[in-house]
Coordinates of all heavy atoms in Angstrom, one line a residue:
Chain B
M1 N 75.6 -116.6 -108.3 CA 75.7 -116.4 -106.8 C 75.5 -114.9 -106.4 O 76.2 -114.1 -107.0 CB 76.9 -117.1 -106.3 CG 77.1 -117.0 -104.8 SD 78.6 -117.8 -104.4 CE 78.0 -119.5 -104.0
E25 N 79.3 -111.6 -110.7 CA 79.5 -112.1 -112.0 C 80.8 -112.6 -112.4 O 81.1 -113.3 -113.2 CB 79.0 -111.1 -113.1 CG 77.6 -110.7 -113.0 CD 77.2 -109.4 -113.6 OE1 77.4 -109.5 -114.9 OE2 76.8 -108.4 -113.0
Y28 N 87.8 -110.1 -109.3 CA 89.0 -109.4 -109.6 C 89.9 -109.2 -108.3 O 89.3 -109.1 -107.3 CB 88.7 -108.1 -110.2 CG 89.7 -107.4 -110.8 CD1 90.3 -107.7 -112.2 CD2 90.6 -106.6 -110.1 CE1 91.4 -107.1 -112.7 CE2 91.8 -106.0 -110.7 CZ 92.1 -106.2 -111.9 OH 93.3 -105.8 -112.5
L32 N 96.6 -102.2 -106.3 CA 97.0 -100.9 -106.9 C 95.7 -100.2 -107.4 O 95.2 -100.7 -108.5 CB 98.0 -101.1 -108.0 CG 99.1 -100.0 -108.3 CD1 99.7 -99.5 -107.0 CD2 100.0 -100.5 -109.3
A40 N 89.1 -103.8 -113.6 CA 88.0 -104.5 -113.0 C 86.8 -104.3 -113.7 O 86.5 -103.2 -114.3 CB 87.9 -104.1 -111.5
S42 N 82.4 -104.6 -114.1 CA 81.2 -104.4 -113.5 C 80.7 -105.7 -112.9 O 80.8 -106.8 -113.6 CB 80.1 -103.8 -114.4 OG 78.9 -103.8 -113.8
I47 N 88.8 -108.5 -104.6 CA 89.6 -108.9 -103.4 C 90.7 -108.1 -103.2 O 91.6 -108.1 -104.2 CB 90.0 -110.5 -103.6 CG1 88.6 -111.3 -103.8 CG2 90.5 -110.9 -102.2 CD1 89.0 -112.8 -104.2
T48 N 91.0 -107.5 -102.2 CA 92.1 -106.6 -101.9 C 92.5 -106.6 -100.5 O 91.7 -107.0 -99.5 CB 91.7 -105.2 -102.4 OG1 92.9 -104.4 -102.3 CG2 90.6 -104.6 -101.7
I49 N 93.7 -106.1 -100.3 CA 94.1 -105.8 -98.9 C 94.1 -104.3 -98.5 O 94.4 -103.8 -97.5 CB 95.6 -106.4 -98.7 CG1 96.6 -106.0 -99.6 CG2 95.6 -107.9 -98.5 CD1 98.0 -105.9 -99.2
T51 N 92.7 -100.7 -97.7 CA 91.5 -100.3 -96.8 C 91.3 -99.0 -96.7 O 90.8 -98.5 -95.7 CB 91.7 -101.0 -95.4 OG1 92.8 -100.6 -95.0 CG2 91.5 -102.5 -95.5
N54 N 89.8 -94.6 -100.6 CA 89.6 -94.7 -102.0 C 89.1 -96.0 -102.5 O 88.6 -96.1 -103.6 CB 90.8 -94.4 -102.7 CG 91.3 -92.9 -102.5 OD1 90.5 -91.9 -102.8 ND2 92.5 -92.7 -101.9
C56 N 86.4 -97.4 -101.4 CA 84.9 -97.3 -101.7 C 84.6 -96.5 -103.1 O 83.9 -97.0 -103.8 CB 84.3 -96.3 -100.7 SG 84.4 -97.1 -99.0
A59 N 85.5 -98.9 -105.9 CA 84.5 -100.1 -106.0 C 83.3 -99.4 -106.7 O 82.5 -100.0 -107.5 CB 84.1 -100.5 -104.6
D63 N 81.8 -100.3 -110.4 CA 80.5 -101.0 -110.1 C 80.7 -102.4 -109.7 O 80.0 -103.3 -110.2 CB 79.6 -100.8 -111.4 CG 78.2 -101.3 -111.2 OD1 77.7 -101.1 -110.0 OD2 77.6 -101.9 -112.1
A64 N 81.6 -102.5 -108.7 CA 81.8 -103.9 -108.1 C 80.7 -104.4 -107.4 O 79.9 -103.7 -106.8 CB 83.0 -103.8 -107.2
I68 N 86.1 -107.6 -101.1 CA 86.3 -108.5 -100.0 C 87.7 -108.2 -99.5 O 88.7 -108.1 -100.3 CB 86.4 -110.0 -100.4 CG1 85.1 -110.4 -101.2 CG2 86.6 -111.0 -99.3 CD1 85.0 -111.9 -101.8
I69 N 87.8 -107.7 -98.3 CA 89.0 -107.3 -97.6 C 89.7 -108.6 -97.1 O 89.2 -109.3 -96.4 CB 88.8 -106.4 -96.5 CG1 88.0 -105.2 -96.8 CG2 90.2 -106.0 -95.8 CD1 88.5 -104.2 -97.7
A70 N 90.9 -108.9 -97.7 CA 91.6 -110.2 -97.2 C 92.3 -109.9 -96.1 O 92.8 -108.9 -95.6 CB 92.4 -110.7 -98.4
E71 N 92.9 -111.2 -95.4 CA 93.8 -111.2 -94.4 C 93.4 -110.3 -93.1 O 94.3 -109.7 -92.4 CB 95.2 -110.8 -94.8 CG 95.7 -111.8 -95.8 CD 97.2 -111.7 -96.1 OE1 97.9 -111.7 -95.1 OE2 97.5 -111.6 -97.3
E74 N 93.0 -104.3 -91.3 CA 92.3 -103.2 -90.5 C 91.7 -102.3 -91.3 O 92.3 -101.8 -92.3 CB 93.4 -102.7 -89.6 CG 92.8 -102.1 -88.3 CD 93.9 -101.5 -87.4 OE1 94.8 -102.4 -87.1 OE2 93.7 -100.4 -86.9
I75 N 90.5 -101.9 -90.9 CA 89.7 -100.9 -91.7 C 88.9 -100.0 -90.7 O 88.5 -100.6 -89.7 CB 88.8 -101.5 -92.7 CG1 88.1 -100.4 -93.5 CG2 87.7 -102.5 -92.2 CD1 87.5 -100.9 -94.9
E78 N 85.0 -95.5 -90.0 CA 84.6 -94.3 -90.8 C 84.4 -94.7 -92.4 O 83.5 -94.4 -93.1 CB 85.7 -93.2 -90.8 CG 85.3 -91.9 -91.5 CD 86.5 -91.0 -91.4 OE1 87.6 -91.4 -90.8 OE2 86.5 -89.9 -92.2
I80 N 83.9 -97.9 -93.4 CA 82.8 -98.8 -93.4 C 81.5 -97.9 -93.6 O 80.7 -98.4 -94.3 CB 82.8 -99.8 -92.1 CG1 84.0 -100.7 -92.1 CG2 81.6 -100.5 -92.2 CD1 84.2 -101.4 -90.9
I82 N 81.3 -95.0 -94.8 CA 81.2 -94.5 -96.1 C 80.7 -95.6 -97.3 O 80.0 -95.3 -98.1 CB 82.6 -93.9 -96.6 CG1 82.9 -92.6 -95.8 CG2 82.7 -93.6 -98.1 CD1 84.4 -92.2 -95.9
S84 N 78.7 -98.0 -96.7 CA 77.2 -98.2 -96.5 C 76.5 -96.9 -97.3 O 75.5 -97.2 -98.0 CB 76.7 -98.0 -95.0 OG 77.5 -99.1 -94.4
N89 N 78.9 -102.9 -101.1 CA 78.9 -104.1 -100.3 C 80.4 -104.5 -99.9 O 81.2 -104.5 -100.7 CB 78.4 -105.3 -101.1 CG 76.8 -105.2 -101.3 OD1 76.2 -104.8 -100.4 ND2 76.6 -105.7 -102.5
C94 N 89.6 -113.7 -92.9 CA 91.0 -113.8 -92.4 C 91.8 -114.5 -93.4 O 93.0 -114.6 -93.4 CB 90.9 -114.6 -91.2 SG 90.2 -116.1 -91.2
Y98 N 95.1 -115.4 -102.1 CA 95.2 -116.7 -102.8 C 94.1 -117.7 -102.3 O 93.4 -118.3 -103.1 CB 96.6 -117.2 -102.6 CG 96.8 -118.6 -103.1 CD1 96.8 -118.9 -104.4 CD2 96.8 -119.7 -102.2 CE1 97.0 -120.1 -105.0 CE2 97.0 -121.0 -102.7 CZ 97.0 -121.3 -104.1 OH 97.1 -122.5 -104.5
E106 N 86.6 -123.4 -105.9 CA 86.1 -124.7 -105.5 C 84.7 -124.7 -105.2 O 84.1 -125.7 -105.5 CB 87.1 -125.1 -104.4 CG 88.4 -125.8 -104.7 CD 89.2 -126.0 -103.5 OE1 88.8 -125.8 -102.3 OE2 90.3 -126.5 -103.7

Side-chain angles (χ1 to χ4, degrees):
Chain B
M1 179 174 273
E25 297 166 65
Y28 193 82
L32 207 53
S42 171
I47 309 172
T48 183
I49 51 159
T51 55
N54 294 309
C56 298
D63 189 32
I68 307 176
I69 309 291
E71 299 196 46
E74 204 174 308
I75 185 162
E78 189 191 348
I80 295 169
I82 291 171
S84 300
N89 292 320
C94 56
Y98 172 71
E106 286 174 351

